[in-house]
Each structure stands twice: as C-alpha cells, then as structure tokens.
Amino acid sequence: MNGFRLDMDLDFSFTDESGTVTRGTARAGGSEVRIAVDGLESFSSNGMPSLDEIRPLAQTLAERGLTVVVDGPDGHIVSLGAVTSPASQRLITRSPHIKLGKLGALAPLMKRGRRPARGFSLLPPQTPLPLMPTVRRSIVRHVTTTHHTRGSGRPRLIFVQDSATWNGQVPREFTLSREIVRIGSDESSDIQLAGLDGIHAEIVHNADDEYVLVPHGRVTGSVAPTGESILRTGARIQMGQWCLAYFREEFADHGRPFGGRSGGELAYQAPQLDPRTGTTEVDGSRGIS
C-alpha cells in the first residue's frame, strides 16, 4: 500500500542514564521524515541497533513509499525506506533500503563501544583511515634464493608439436639426468634425431647447477643465435625439423640472481652472493665479491 503522507514538526530532547541531554527535531511534509540531532554521545554509549533490527523497518518503510533520513551534527548519517542504495553499501547492509551517509558523520558512532550485536551492526566494522592500504616503501626486503639441491626440479626437454601435427598423445620427454647430453643423428647421441648433424648440440650441466646449450650445428629458437646459452624454463630449441622446449621447476630454476624467474618481472633485485661459488651476479654479469 503506497501513498502515505506524513506532516510533522516536532522538537524533542531526552536524557540518557549518564545525564547527557540530546536535542533534536523531526520534520515531515509528505513521504519523507527528516530527523536531526545535535549530538551522538547517547547513541554511541548506549549502543546502536543491529542491522537485523533495522532491515525490517527499512523494508516496511519502502513498501509504503516512505523515507526516514537521520542527520547528525556532522551531516547525513543514514536513510531508511524508499532510497537508492549503492551496490557497494548493499554488500555491508544486505538491504537495498538502507543508505549510509557521510563517513565523517558516521565516525563518532564508531569511536565508542556498541552493545553486542545480534547480527550485523548498522555500521561497517571499525576500519582505520585511510581506507586504502598504506604502502611502506622503506621496507628492506632481503633477496633470498630458490636454489634447491643440485640437479633438482626435474630438468627436461619436451618435444614441441603444433596443433596441426599433434596427435593428442602426451608429448615425448627426455630427462636431463646426465652431466652432458648429446643431441644429433649419430648413434652415440643421447637424443638421436634424424636429419641433424652427427653431434648437433650438447646440453652441459655446469658447476653452477645451470643447464647450458652448446651448439655445434645450426640452432635457432629463443636461445642465442651463436655461442652458449643458459637455459631457462620455456626456452625453445629449434634444430632442423625438431623443436624442443626446456623446462625445470621454478623452485630450482636459478634465474637472476640465483632464484626465481629470469628478471623477476619488474622487481628490484639486489646483488646476491652465491654460496656455491663466492661470486655475485647482477643483471647476468658476474663479479668476484
């Protein structure tokens, strides 16, 4: 049932148990009732009603097309009934008929204790200002290493196939369990591939626990076109018709410096001492420390 009209012009005051006097007014001339009080001490000391208590009232007011607006000394506190509540506030109040007011007006109600709520409080939890997290840029973070035991992380080569040639089977893998793995067409190769040079390339596990590609024939892909290349997870090695990808679990893939992914995705990385060799590595260059 809609179409209610209220006409009201009241001045009121009340005294709480502590002797605090609160004065206010209640004005209405249609479907909106506006209540204004000159202080919130009594409310904050005696406790605010919970949302479980306020939701039914707000629902009833909305069904009758009425709105109750409550203002405090610092501005608008809350509106109940036929209001338009932002979606962000509905997550807190769980009602489209409760619209919270200005943070400055709500703040006095959050400074003092409230009675134990039988449900959610009318106000959101006491969240310290500022609302956005404060970022302390002066924090010193010590760079650590993800280095694990030598040869760990299951370093391996995976034969890469594109969608046109993949037959749906699990790709062939070769675990790099030896210190030197030879790739080529020669029968002595550890990975024998037709169409390549006798010994086309080698993968060497060096003293720094890195797996290094040493080309002897033509090798392309994501590795260096000439010379040796330290392999990182995802590196592609193209030799003739064969394409292989290198993978090693990240906890054991040293990257730069000696831990994590190569480069760290825009992260600041300080020089780090490698306990195995007594050297430091900064942006890929080595120096004795």
Side-chain angles (χ1 to χ4, degrees):
M1 179 177 178
N2 297 324
F4 280 90
R5 176 183 175 86
L6 299 174
D7 291 284
M8 186 184 305
D9 188 359
L10 297 177
D11 294 332
F12 63 86
S13 66
F14 63 89
T15 305
D16 64 16
E17 295 177 355
S18 66
T20 302
V21 178
T22 301
R23 295 178 174 83
T25 61
R27 305 280 189 265
S31 61
E32 180 180 281
V33 179
R34 183 170 290 272
I35 301 172
V37 294
D38 62 1
L40 301 175
E41 291 79 6
S42 296
F43 297 100
S44 58
S45 61
N46 293 323
M48 290 294 297
S50 70
L51 282 174
D52 285 344
E53 296 168 319
I54 291 193
R55 285 194 202 99
L57 172 61
Q59 175 72 31
T60 301
L61 290 170
E63 290 173 353
R64 287 160 174 74
L66 300 176
T67 305
V68 174
V69 180
V70 181
D71 294 329
D74 297 310
H76 177 50
I77 297 175
V78 67
S79 297
L80 307 175
V83 298
T84 302
S85 175
S88 58
Q89 292 189 10
R90 295 182 191 182
L91 296 175
I92 300 172
T93 63
R94 291 191 298 166
S95 171
H97 308 304
I98 301 174
K99 183 177 181 181
L100 301 178
K102 295 168 53 179
L103 182 62
L106 290 166
L109 295 173
M110 296 187 287
K111 290 181 180 179
R112 303 182 65 179
R114 286 167 279 166
R115 69 186 181 189
R118 293 187 291 275
F120 285 101
S121 165
L122 169 64
L123 302 177
Q126 279 191 346
T127 303
L129 297 176
L131 295 179
M132 296 298 293
T134 302
V135 179
R136 290 181 55 196
R137 298 184 180 277
S138 60
I139 295 177
V140 177
R141 294 182 175 86
H142 298 286
V143 179
T144 58
T145 176
T146 57
H147 176 65
H148 211 257
T149 56
R150 176 177 170 81
S152 62
R154 202 164 75 87
R156 59 201 182 273
L157 295 176
I158 300 177
F159 286 75
V160 177
Q161 294 177 306
D162 58 31
S163 58
T165 59
W166 185 47
N167 58 8
Q169 301 299 316
V170 176
R172 177 185 170 191
E173 293 187 6
F174 185 90
T175 301
L176 300 174
S177 57
R178 302 181 182 180
E179 295 298 288
I180 299 178
V181 174
R182 295 177 174 85
I183 305 172
S185 59
D186 194 88
E187 293 182 357
S188 63
S189 300
D190 300 293
I191 303 178
Q192 187 175 353
L193 301 175
L196 301 184
D197 295 344
I199 301 297
H200 201 98
E202 294 177 320
I203 296 179
V204 179
H205 186 199
N206 67 15
D208 294 335
D209 193 29
E210 302 283 17
Y211 288 83
V212 181
L213 174 68
V214 181
H216 298 296
R218 186 172 184 273
V219 178
T220 58
S222 60
V223 296
T226 59
E228 300 179 356
S229 299
I230 294 178
L231 296 176
R232 294 280 176 251
T233 292
R236 286 183 170 237
I237 306 169
Q238 184 76 47
M239 297 173 291
Q241 62 176 326
W242 304 97
C243 182
L244 301 96
Y246 171 81
F247 283 91
R248 187 179 190 182
E249 302 305 325
E250 189 172 323
F251 68 84
D253 190 13
H254 305 300
R256 172 173 63 89
F258 307 109
R261 304 173 187 173
S262 179
E265 282 75 56
L266 304 180
Y268 170 74
Q269 297 189 5
Q272 181 185 355
L273 178 66
D274 180 5
R276 300 163 298 165
T277 62
T279 62
T280 59
E281 182 174 315
V282 184
D283 295 335
S285 60
R286 281 187 187 277
I288 303 298
S289 61

